[in-house]
Amino acid sequence: MKLKITITGPKVNDVGYRYFLLGIAMSNRIRMFEAHNMRSSEGQAVLAFADGDEEAIKAFCAQIETERPARSEVSNIVFDDFQGEVMRIGEYAQFCATIQLNKAIPVLLDMRDDLRAVRKNTDLIPQIKENTDAIPQIKANTDAIPQIKANTDAIPQIKANTDAIPQIKANTDAIPHVLGEIKGLRDDIQPGYANNFRQVQADVRAIKERLGMQ
């Protein structure tokens, strides 16, 4: 018995409906089966063909009338007689596998690119660790900023002191001359001081004699 099944509705494509029908056909031991996603005037459609024992076909039809794939939205299911050729169910399963592989290839390529990006990021981990290990030193340098600022604020005073160095040097250079002058004064004072001291002693003795003092 050959049968054509047309399933229409807002959401019957890309919900696994063909594989759902394939599973039901295999469970009912139908040897000839195929299904295809279509577009119709009513919207999305799945067109299925089955060829097998009459009892198996009836059981198949009863099951698909009462069961639906998850997330599908079905408006109508129509059963019609069919006289054409139907693909062997094994060949159709291979056909479905090919379709899924074609869908999977872009996904696999994206996964490959993502893995490459992950590996590139993983290769950066030693550098990230090195940067992380430097954080204490960076913090220490940051903590030193107030001291650096204080030292920087002292620069004008340091410059003023530096500018005074020539005057300090001039004063220092004058020290030998000053010392020489002091030494000369001392040498000049000492002889006169001794003479004056002897004169004072003589005057004291004369006064004592006049007063009758010994």
Side-chain angles (χ1 to χ4, degrees), residues 2 9 28 30 32 36 60 78 88 92 100 102 111 121 130 135 138 140 156 177 180 190-191 196 208-209:
K2 293 182 180 181
N28 285 285
I30 294 174
M32 312 291 284
H36 307 279
F60 172 74
V78 177
R88 292 180 181 275
Y92 178 69
Q100 290 305 306
N102 286 336
M111 290 176 63
N121 293 336
E130 182 178 343
I135 288 176
I138 294 171
H177 178 68
Q190 282 182 347
N196 290 338
K208 284 182 176 181
E209 289 175 356

Side-chain angles (χ1 to χ4, degrees), residues 25-182:
M26 294 178 74
S27 67
N28 285 285
R29 300 180 62 81
I30 294 174
R31 304 300 182 185
M32 312 291 284
F33 175 84
E34 60 184 279
H36 307 279
N37 285 334
M38 306 291 290
R39 292 282 181 176
S40 71
S41 58
E42 298 180 15
Q44 297 182 2
V46 176
L47 195 61
F49 303 91
D51 182 4
D53 179 81
E54 184 175 352
E55 293 299 322
I57 294 295
K58 287 182 179 180
F60 172 74
C61 292
Q63 196 168 350
I64 64 175
E65 281 187 307
T66 57
E67 298 179 14
R68 304 281 191 276
R71 297 187 298 177
S72 65
E73 297 178 22
V74 179
S75 300
N76 195 23
I77 300 177
V78 177
F79 301 95
D80 295 310
D81 291 335
F82 181 67
Q83 301 300 322
E85 295 292 329
V86 180
M87 187 182 297
R88 292 180 181 275
I89 197 167
E91 294 175 353
Y92 178 69
Q94 292 178 354
F95 169 75
C96 289
T98 301
I99 292 175
Q100 290 305 306
L101 182 59
N102 286 336
K103 289 182 178 180
I105 287 174
V107 176
L108 293 173
L109 291 174
D110 288 341
M111 290 176 63
R112 181 196 64 183
D113 294 340
D114 290 343
L115 288 173
R116 286 178 177 173
V118 169
R119 181 177 179 183
K120 183 177 180 180
N121 293 336
T122 304
D123 291 341
L124 291 174
I125 288 176
Q127 181 63 40
I128 294 171
K129 183 179 183 300
E130 182 178 343
N131 293 340
T132 303
D133 292 341
I135 288 176
Q137 183 60 44
I138 294 171
K139 183 178 183 300
N141 293 341
T142 304
D143 293 341
I145 288 176
Q147 183 60 42
I148 294 171
K149 183 178 183 300
N151 294 340
T152 304
D153 292 341
I155 288 176
Q157 183 60 43
I158 294 170
K159 184 177 183 301
N161 294 340
T162 304
D163 292 341
I165 288 176
Q167 182 60 43
I168 295 170
K169 184 176 183 299
N171 295 339
T172 304
D173 292 341
I175 289 174
H177 178 68
V178 173
L179 290 175
E181 290 184 352
I182 292 172

